[in-house]
Amino acid sequence: MRYQFTSESVSEGHPDKLADQISDAILDAYLAVDPGAKVACETFLTYKAVIIGGEIHSSVNISKKSIEELVRQVISETGYTNEVYGYDADTVPVHNYLNRQSAEIRSGVDQGGAGDQGMMFGYACDETEALMPLPIFLSHLIVERLAKLRKSGRIPWLLPDAKSQVTVIYDGGKPVAIDTMLVSTQHMPYVLSGGSAYQGSGHVPHGHYGGGVYYVTNEMIREAVIEKVLKPILAEYGFPDAARFIINPSGSFTVGGPAADTGLTGRKIIVDTYGGSAPHGGGAFSGKDPSKVDRSAAYAARYIAKNLVAAGLCKRVTVQISYAIGMADPTSLFVDTHGTAIDGITDETLARVVAEVFPLKPNDIIKELGLRQPIYRETAAYGHMGRKPERVVKRFKDASGETIEREVDLFKWEQTDKTEQLKRMINLNTTSHAK
């Protein structure tokens, strides 16, 4: 059967993703000084305002001034550093309504139970080297490369807000061609004749090119995005071309970010996961410490799914885990290989082996994947899944304002370190079953 499937992504400057990054930066700030901190932080962005709220329980008090400085740092690093861009990190008002976490919620979690009820999904497939679906993988890559070109100055008129969308043609369940690549990217209205960005706030009348200031035209944007972003990505992944390139279909896009639309933590959950190729449990990730199984169990489910595919036991798999608040053991575990498991292996067998190989209690998941580290801001743009595991050094401020360093492991749930154990356990289970 031949069909099309589409996924989208958004840049780090999209207002929802900016909200996610602020929430996760606050979470990281607490975990850097108190690994046991309980955090549920939400961020709302709108024109000329940042509003932060949520519940926190920690042995360390981070001052409102330090939180405000952190918020401004994230906004600045994302690229909103001038009123000309519609949002200025130095001048936007920051309203902080963070409060204490409920003792009733904390009592169940402190006993090692799940921080809430709910079901979480993980997914993996063999369409890309990251074992992610191709449409979301390419969509992330597009906005990530736009950001790199903006920050390096190679396309100086680019601004932080952008969205991408990729439609892939499948035949027999395998991606065979790219149908459509869609990009909407915020841009400055004018550019200097030498190619550098024009950051003046004055109006340049239409058709006037005095002083070497030129309009950033739709044609200029289309050529730059196609030639410097889309075609190199297609070539890198073995596709000769796409049937259609759609660039800034609404026309001019000079007003973006929170100046154009509100941003809210947790509003891009499909972008965060698998682009619609798999179900989502409904709970958002950003701003939540790992006692919230919305986050930790979703990472665990991805860890399971990726290792099953990496072990060659199936080509595609969906994993679901569910929990009850305050209880440590999951209430259910579901494995569906969509008919792609190797001969002689049933989904029931895989589920039984998964329960033996992988930690499924919240505290065990947290320990296995190192989730009490300050590792979350990096997850808040370009997807929580399909990223490269790496060890890095991050810098934070302690309660007294002194700089501290933390060496942390990013994206441990993307490791494929359980493949050999899975193969051994599958062999034991199938041999025992045959007897």
Side-chain angles (χ1 to χ4, degrees), residues 35 38 109 112-113 289-293 295-297 300 359-373 375-376 412:
K38 303 294 191 300
V109 175
D289 77 81
S291 70
K292 282 76 172 175
V293 284
R295 183 166 218 160
S296 54
L360 297 176
K361 294 180 180 181
N363 278 353
D364 294 341
I365 291 170
I366 290 168
K367 183 177 180 180
E368 176 82 14
L369 299 180
L371 300 182
R372 280 285 166 202
Q373 302 174 87
I375 56 174
Y376 295 105
K412 283 192 73 175

mmCIF file of all heavy atoms in Angstrom, residues 35 38 109 112-113 289-293 295-297 300 359-373 375-376 412:
data_model
loop_
_atom_site.group_PDB
_atom_site.id
_atom_site.type_symbol
_atom_site.label_atom_id
_atom_site.label_comp_id
_atom_site.label_asym_id
_atom_site.label_seq_id
_atom_site.Cartn_x
_atom_site.Cartn_y
_atom_site.Cartn_z
ATOM 1 N N PRO A 35 19.255 17.522 43.899
ATOM 2 C CA PRO A 35 18.777 16.456 43.011
ATOM 3 C C PRO A 35 17.434 15.864 43.418
ATOM 4 O O PRO A 35 16.756 15.255 42.588
ATOM 5 C CB PRO A 35 19.889 15.401 43.103
ATOM 6 C CG PRO A 35 21.104 16.167 43.494
ATOM 7 C CD PRO A 35 20.608 17.249 44.406
ATOM 8 N N LYS A 38 11.408 18.520 43.901
ATOM 9 C CA LYS A 38 10.161 18.216 43.192
ATOM 10 C C LYS A 38 9.701 19.509 42.517
ATOM 11 O O LYS A 38 9.477 20.518 43.191
ATOM 12 C CB LYS A 38 9.090 17.705 44.154
ATOM 13 C CG LYS A 38 9.496 16.469 44.966
ATOM 14 C CD LYS A 38 9.688 15.256 44.085
ATOM 15 C CE LYS A 38 9.827 13.986 44.905
ATOM 16 N NZ LYS A 38 10.969 13.995 45.837
ATOM 17 N N VAL A 109 4.696 10.207 46.481
ATOM 18 C CA VAL A 109 5.899 10.143 45.656
ATOM 19 C C VAL A 109 7.123 9.801 46.501
ATOM 20 O O VAL A 109 8.000 9.042 46.076
ATOM 21 C CB VAL A 109 6.103 11.493 44.920
ATOM 22 C CG1 VAL A 109 7.416 11.490 44.158
ATOM 23 C CG2 VAL A 109 4.936 11.759 43.978
ATOM 24 N N GLY A 112 8.273 6.298 46.880
ATOM 25 C CA GLY A 112 8.735 5.591 45.682
ATOM 26 C C GLY A 112 7.651 5.329 44.670
ATOM 27 O O GLY A 112 7.878 4.650 43.671
ATOM 28 N N GLY A 113 6.464 5.865 44.892
ATOM 29 C CA GLY A 113 5.363 5.655 43.971
ATOM 30 C C GLY A 113 5.386 6.636 42.821
ATOM 31 O O GLY A 113 6.168 7.591 42.788
ATOM 32 N N ASP A 289 9.796 17.416 37.134
ATOM 33 C CA ASP A 289 10.898 16.575 37.605
ATOM 34 C C ASP A 289 10.545 15.111 37.333
ATOM 35 O O ASP A 289 9.383 14.777 37.075
ATOM 36 C CB ASP A 289 11.155 16.826 39.098
ATOM 37 C CG ASP A 289 10.131 16.160 39.986
ATOM 38 O OD1 ASP A 289 10.277 14.943 40.243
ATOM 39 O OD2 ASP A 289 9.171 16.840 40.406
ATOM 40 N N PRO A 290 11.542 14.203 37.384
ATOM 41 C CA PRO A 290 11.303 12.824 36.934
ATOM 42 C C PRO A 290 10.416 11.979 37.831
ATOM 43 O O PRO A 290 10.063 10.852 37.455
ATOM 44 C CB PRO A 290 12.712 12.232 36.849
ATOM 45 C CG PRO A 290 13.536 13.066 37.772
ATOM 46 C CD PRO A 290 12.958 14.450 37.662
ATOM 47 N N SER A 291 10.015 12.476 39.009
ATOM 48 C CA SER A 291 9.033 11.718 39.785
ATOM 49 C C SER A 291 7.692 11.695 39.076
ATOM 50 O O SER A 291 6.845 10.839 39.354
ATOM 51 C CB SER A 291 8.884 12.305 41.194
ATOM 52 O OG SER A 291 8.238 13.569 41.157
ATOM 53 N N LYS A 292 7.495 12.637 38.144
ATOM 54 C CA LYS A 292 6.292 12.640 37.329
ATOM 55 C C LYS A 292 6.473 11.629 36.205
ATOM 56 O O LYS A 292 7.296 11.820 35.299
ATOM 57 C CB LYS A 292 6.020 14.022 36.739
ATOM 58 C CG LYS A 292 5.409 15.025 37.712
ATOM 59 C CD LYS A 292 6.409 15.567 38.679
ATOM 60 C CE LYS A 292 5.829 16.703 39.515
ATOM 61 N NZ LYS A 292 6.783 17.151 40.554
ATOM 62 N N VAL A 293 5.707 10.540 36.242
ATOM 63 C CA VAL A 293 5.884 9.478 35.250
ATOM 64 C C VAL A 293 5.491 9.934 33.854
ATOM 65 O O VAL A 293 5.857 9.284 32.869
ATOM 66 C CB VAL A 293 5.122 8.199 35.647
ATOM 67 C CG1 VAL A 293 5.851 7.456 36.749
ATOM 68 C CG2 VAL A 293 3.685 8.512 36.048
ATOM 69 N N ARG A 295 6.856 12.084 32.414
ATOM 70 C CA ARG A 295 8.155 12.291 31.791
ATOM 71 C C ARG A 295 9.045 11.053 31.879
ATOM 72 O O ARG A 295 9.476 10.514 30.862
ATOM 73 C CB ARG A 295 8.843 13.483 32.468
ATOM 74 C CG ARG A 295 10.175 13.855 31.869
ATOM 75 C CD ARG A 295 10.678 15.217 32.308
ATOM 76 N NE ARG A 295 11.337 15.886 31.211
ATOM 77 C CZ ARG A 295 11.559 17.182 31.128
ATOM 78 N NH1 ARG A 295 11.142 17.983 32.101
ATOM 79 N NH2 ARG A 295 12.176 17.712 30.098
ATOM 80 N N SER A 296 9.305 10.585 33.090
ATOM 81 C CA SER A 296 10.275 9.494 33.272
ATOM 82 C C SER A 296 9.827 8.203 32.603
ATOM 83 O O SER A 296 10.636 7.500 31.976
ATOM 84 C CB SER A 296 10.533 9.260 34.763
ATOM 85 O OG SER A 296 9.329 9.050 35.461
ATOM 86 N N ALA A 297 8.545 7.861 32.686
ATOM 87 C CA ALA A 297 8.080 6.615 32.078
ATOM 88 C C ALA A 297 8.011 6.724 30.560
ATOM 89 O O ALA A 297 8.174 5.723 29.851
ATOM 90 C CB ALA A 297 6.723 6.216 32.640
ATOM 91 N N ALA A 300 11.440 5.988 29.609
ATOM 92 C CA ALA A 300 11.672 4.554 29.773
ATOM 93 C C ALA A 300 11.052 3.765 28.631
ATOM 94 O O ALA A 300 11.650 2.800 28.117
ATOM 95 C CB ALA A 300 11.109 4.078 31.111
ATOM 96 N N PRO A 359 14.068 -1.672 34.109
ATOM 97 C CA PRO A 359 13.424 -1.170 35.331
ATOM 98 C C PRO A 359 12.122 -0.466 34.967
ATOM 99 O O PRO A 359 12.083 0.342 34.034
ATOM 100 C CB PRO A 359 14.453 -0.180 35.883
ATOM 101 C CG PRO A 359 15.218 0.275 34.690
ATOM 102 C CD PRO A 359 15.267 -0.897 33.754
ATOM 103 N N LEU A 360 11.059 -0.751 35.710
ATOM 104 C CA LEU A 360 9.759 -0.151 35.427
ATOM 105 C C LEU A 360 9.178 0.630 36.604
ATOM 106 O O LEU A 360 8.224 1.376 36.428
ATOM 107 C CB LEU A 360 8.765 -1.234 34.974
ATOM 108 C CG LEU A 360 9.121 -1.961 33.672
ATOM 109 C CD1 LEU A 360 8.120 -3.064 33.390
ATOM 110 C CD2 LEU A 360 9.193 -0.986 32.505
ATOM 111 N N LYS A 361 9.745 0.467 37.805
ATOM 112 C CA LYS A 361 9.316 1.280 38.935
ATOM 113 C C LYS A 361 9.928 2.682 38.787
ATOM 114 O O LYS A 361 11.075 2.812 38.343
ATOM 115 C CB LYS A 361 9.771 0.652 40.249
ATOM 116 C CG LYS A 361 9.110 -0.689 40.548
ATOM 117 C CD LYS A 361 9.608 -1.263 41.867
ATOM 118 C CE LYS A 361 8.935 -2.602 42.169
ATOM 119 N NZ LYS A 361 9.393 -3.179 43.463
ATOM 120 N N PRO A 362 9.173 3.724 39.150
ATOM 121 C CA PRO A 362 9.673 5.095 38.937
ATOM 122 C C PRO A 362 11.069 5.353 39.491
ATOM 123 O O PRO A 362 11.919 5.909 38.778
ATOM 124 C CB PRO A 362 8.616 5.960 39.631
ATOM 125 C CG PRO A 362 7.357 5.172 39.495
ATOM 126 C CD PRO A 362 7.775 3.733 39.643
ATOM 127 N N ASN A 363 11.336 4.960 40.727
ATOM 128 C CA ASN A 363 12.663 5.210 41.292
ATOM 129 C C ASN A 363 13.757 4.451 40.552
ATOM 130 O O ASN A 363 14.887 4.939 40.398
ATOM 131 C CB ASN A 363 12.681 4.839 42.774
ATOM 132 C CG ASN A 363 12.115 5.933 43.654
ATOM 133 O OD1 ASN A 363 11.815 7.032 43.182
ATOM 134 N ND2 ASN A 363 11.941 5.645 44.932
ATOM 135 N N ASP A 364 13.436 3.233 40.089
ATOM 136 C CA ASP A 364 14.420 2.437 39.344
ATOM 137 C C ASP A 364 14.685 3.049 37.966
ATOM 138 O O ASP A 364 15.825 3.052 37.485
ATOM 139 C CB ASP A 364 13.936 0.992 39.202
ATOM 140 C CG ASP A 364 13.865 0.261 40.528
ATOM 141 O OD1 ASP A 364 14.517 0.714 41.494
ATOM 142 O OD2 ASP A 364 13.149 -0.757 40.609
ATOM 143 N N ILE A 365 13.635 3.557 37.330
ATOM 144 C CA ILE A 365 13.808 4.250 36.044
ATOM 145 C C ILE A 365 14.701 5.472 36.225
ATOM 146 O O ILE A 365 15.634 5.707 35.441
ATOM 147 C CB ILE A 365 12.438 4.677 35.479
ATOM 148 C CG1 ILE A 365 11.621 3.458 35.049
ATOM 149 C CG2 ILE A 365 12.614 5.633 34.301
ATOM 150 C CD1 ILE A 365 10.181 3.779 34.699
ATOM 151 N N ILE A 366 14.414 6.252 37.268
ATOM 152 C CA ILE A 366 15.189 7.464 37.530
ATOM 153 C C ILE A 366 16.665 7.141 37.721
ATOM 154 O O ILE A 366 17.546 7.823 37.185
ATOM 155 C CB ILE A 366 14.615 8.192 38.766
ATOM 156 C CG1 ILE A 366 13.243 8.803 38.427
ATOM 157 C CG2 ILE A 366 15.574 9.271 39.272
ATOM 158 C CD1 ILE A 366 12.472 9.279 39.630
ATOM 159 N N LYS A 367 16.955 6.083 38.476
ATOM 160 C CA LYS A 367 18.344 5.693 38.723
ATOM 161 C C LYS A 367 19.010 5.181 37.455
ATOM 162 O O LYS A 367 20.143 5.566 37.135
ATOM 163 C CB LYS A 367 18.385 4.614 39.811
ATOM 164 C CG LYS A 367 19.793 4.193 40.198
ATOM 165 C CD LYS A 367 19.766 3.172 41.332
ATOM 166 C CE LYS A 367 21.177 2.739 41.719
ATOM 167 N NZ LYS A 367 21.157 1.742 42.823
ATOM 168 N N GLU A 368 18.323 4.320 36.716
ATOM 169 C CA GLU A 368 18.891 3.720 35.498
ATOM 170 C C GLU A 368 19.245 4.783 34.456
ATOM 171 O O GLU A 368 20.304 4.714 33.814
ATOM 172 C CB GLU A 368 17.896 2.724 34.903
ATOM 173 C CG GLU A 368 18.326 2.101 33.584
ATOM 174 C CD GLU A 368 19.278 0.938 33.750
ATOM 175 O OE1 GLU A 368 19.425 0.426 34.885
ATOM 176 O OE2 GLU A 368 19.877 0.521 32.743
ATOM 177 N N LEU A 369 18.370 5.762 34.294
ATOM 178 C CA LEU A 369 18.554 6.749 33.228
ATOM 179 C C LEU A 369 19.174 8.060 33.719
ATOM 180 O O LEU A 369 19.324 9.001 32.939
ATOM 181 C CB LEU A 369 17.211 7.030 32.552
ATOM 182 C CG LEU A 369 16.540 5.813 31.893
ATOM 183 C CD1 LEU A 369 15.218 6.219 31.254
ATOM 184 C CD2 LEU A 369 17.457 5.168 30.855
ATOM 185 N N GLY A 370 19.541 8.107 35.002
ATOM 186 C CA GLY A 370 20.196 9.308 35.531
ATOM 187 C C GLY A 370 19.325 10.543 35.460
ATOM 188 O O GLY A 370 19.795 11.639 35.144
ATOM 189 N N LEU A 371 18.052 10.405 35.805
ATOM 190 C CA LEU A 371 17.100 11.479 35.592
ATOM 191 C C LEU A 371 17.074 12.528 36.692
ATOM 192 O O LEU A 371 16.321 13.504 36.594
ATOM 193 C CB LEU A 371 15.695 10.897 35.401
ATOM 194 C CG LEU A 371 15.538 9.944 34.206
ATOM 195 C CD1 LEU A 371 14.105 9.460 34.089
ATOM 196 C CD2 LEU A 371 15.997 10.597 32.907
ATOM 197 N N ARG A 372 17.876 12.348 37.739
ATOM 198 C CA ARG A 372 17.976 13.375 38.773
ATOM 199 C C ARG A 372 19.086 14.380 38.460
ATOM 200 O O ARG A 372 19.453 15.206 39.294
ATOM 201 C CB ARG A 372 18.212 12.736 40.139
ATOM 202 C CG ARG A 372 16.948 12.191 40.778
ATOM 203 C CD ARG A 372 16.098 13.301 41.311
ATOM 204 N NE ARG A 372 14.725 12.886 41.653
ATOM 205 C CZ ARG A 372 13.724 13.712 41.721
ATOM 206 N NH1 ARG A 372 13.899 14.997 41.448
ATOM 207 N NH2 ARG A 372 12.522 13.297 42.029
ATOM 208 N N GLN A 373 19.640 14.325 37.269
ATOM 209 C CA GLN A 373 20.644 15.284 36.842
ATOM 210 C C GLN A 373 19.942 16.481 36.172
ATOM 211 O O GLN A 373 18.830 16.352 35.659
ATOM 212 C CB GLN A 373 21.592 14.654 35.822
ATOM 213 C CG GLN A 373 22.322 13.411 36.297
ATOM 214 C CD GLN A 373 23.124 12.795 35.172
ATOM 215 O OE1 GLN A 373 24.267 13.153 34.935
ATOM 216 N NE2 GLN A 373 22.509 11.860 34.457
ATOM 217 N N ILE A 375 19.421 17.920 33.265
ATOM 218 C CA ILE A 375 19.629 17.530 31.856
ATOM 219 C C ILE A 375 18.469 17.942 30.944
ATOM 220 O O ILE A 375 18.426 17.519 29.780
ATOM 221 C CB ILE A 375 19.781 15.996 31.753
ATOM 222 C CG1 ILE A 375 18.556 15.299 32.361
ATOM 223 C CG2 ILE A 375 21.067 15.534 32.428
ATOM 224 C CD1 ILE A 375 18.526 13.797 32.187
ATOM 225 N N TYR A 376 17.594 18.801 31.422
ATOM 226 C CA TYR A 376 16.308 18.909 30.736
ATOM 227 C C TYR A 376 16.159 20.063 29.757
ATOM 228 O O TYR A 376 15.350 19.981 28.830
ATOM 229 C CB TYR A 376 15.188 18.920 31.775
ATOM 230 C CG TYR A 376 15.135 17.606 32.498
ATOM 231 C CD1 TYR A 376 15.612 17.490 33.807
ATOM 232 C CD2 TYR A 376 14.676 16.464 31.865
ATOM 233 C CE1 TYR A 376 15.600 16.267 34.463
ATOM 234 C CE2 TYR A 376 14.662 15.238 32.515
ATOM 235 C CZ TYR A 376 15.121 15.151 33.809
ATOM 236 O OH TYR A 376 15.123 13.928 34.450
ATOM 237 N N LYS A 412 20.178 9.690 28.069
ATOM 238 C CA LYS A 412 20.564 8.302 28.330
ATOM 239 C C LYS A 412 19.518 7.307 27.829
ATOM 240 O O LYS A 412 19.850 6.147 27.567
ATOM 241 C CB LYS A 412 20.810 8.076 29.831
ATOM 242 C CG LYS A 412 22.141 8.610 30.328
ATOM 243 C CD LYS A 412 22.459 8.102 31.733
ATOM 244 C CE LYS A 412 22.842 6.644 31.739
ATOM 245 N NZ LYS A 412 23.276 6.182 33.084
#
